[in-house]
Amino acid sequence: QVQLAESGGGLAQAGGSLRLSCAASGRTFSRYIMGWFRQAPGKEREFVAAISWPGGTTYYADPVKGRFTISSDNSKNTVALQMKSLKPEDTAVYYCAAGTRVIVVATPSRYDYWGQGTQVTVSS
């Protein structure tokens, strides 16, 4: 029904920046939540940020507040995550997710669709 594809991951130095993008295709909905999650080796999937559409309200996990910015581009049906001041602890596979029944944005089970993930590695 809906397909999500992340891109933009790579290697960055501590203090550097990366911009991730998630493109949605297929049969989408007019009202939804788009979220970013990450998962590091040996750790559970962790909420990063989310944005509502069409409202545009944003939500951030404490570790990324002030450093990451989530945004959406309706014309291209995409959501981006601008990451700055990167830290080694940001290293993880980053996933985008979408849901039409999301109440608590940080809960993975509330999302219906997931991308394949993109690797972000931050060196010290």
Side-chain angles (χ1 to χ4, degrees), residues 25-58:
S25 61
R27 189 169 66 183
T28 57
F29 299 91
S30 60
R31 185 176 179 179
Y32 58 91
I33 296 289
M34 293 289 294
W36 284 97
F37 292 79
R38 65 188 183 186
Q39 188 165 22
K43 298 183 64 177
E44 295 182 354
R45 186 167 47 185
E46 176 186 39
F47 171 73
V48 177
I51 186 168
S52 65
W53 187 263
T57 303
T58 57

Side-chain angles (χ1 to χ4, degrees), residues 6-25:
E6 304 95 335
S7 62
L11 177 66
Q13 297 273 59
S17 300
L18 284 173
R19 183 180 177 88
L20 307 183
S21 182
C22 175
S25 61

Side-chain angles (χ1 to χ4, degrees), residues 81-118:
L81 185 69
Q82 179 66 53
M83 306 183 294
K84 62 181 181 181
S85 301
L86 285 164
K87 304 175 180 180
E89 49 263 46
D90 294 320
T91 296
V93 176
Y94 283 69
Y95 300 89
C96 66
T100 60
R101 54 181 178 85
V102 176
I103 299 174
V104 181
V105 297
T107 304
S109 62
R110 298 286 187 169
Y111 293 79
D112 302 306
Y113 310 101
W114 294 83
Q116 82 288 350
T118 185

Side-chain angles (χ1 to χ4, degrees), residues 50-92:
I51 186 168
S52 65
W53 187 263
T57 303
T58 57
Y59 310 85
Y60 297 95
D62 284 342
V64 308
K65 287 181 179 177
R67 300 189 298 119
F68 292 9
T69 302
I70 188 171
S71 61
S72 61
D73 184 344
N74 181 249
S75 67
K76 296 192 293 185
N77 226 356
T78 61
V79 61
L81 185 69
Q82 179 66 53
M83 306 183 294
K84 62 181 181 181
S85 301
L86 285 164
K87 304 175 180 180
E89 49 263 46
D90 294 320
T91 296

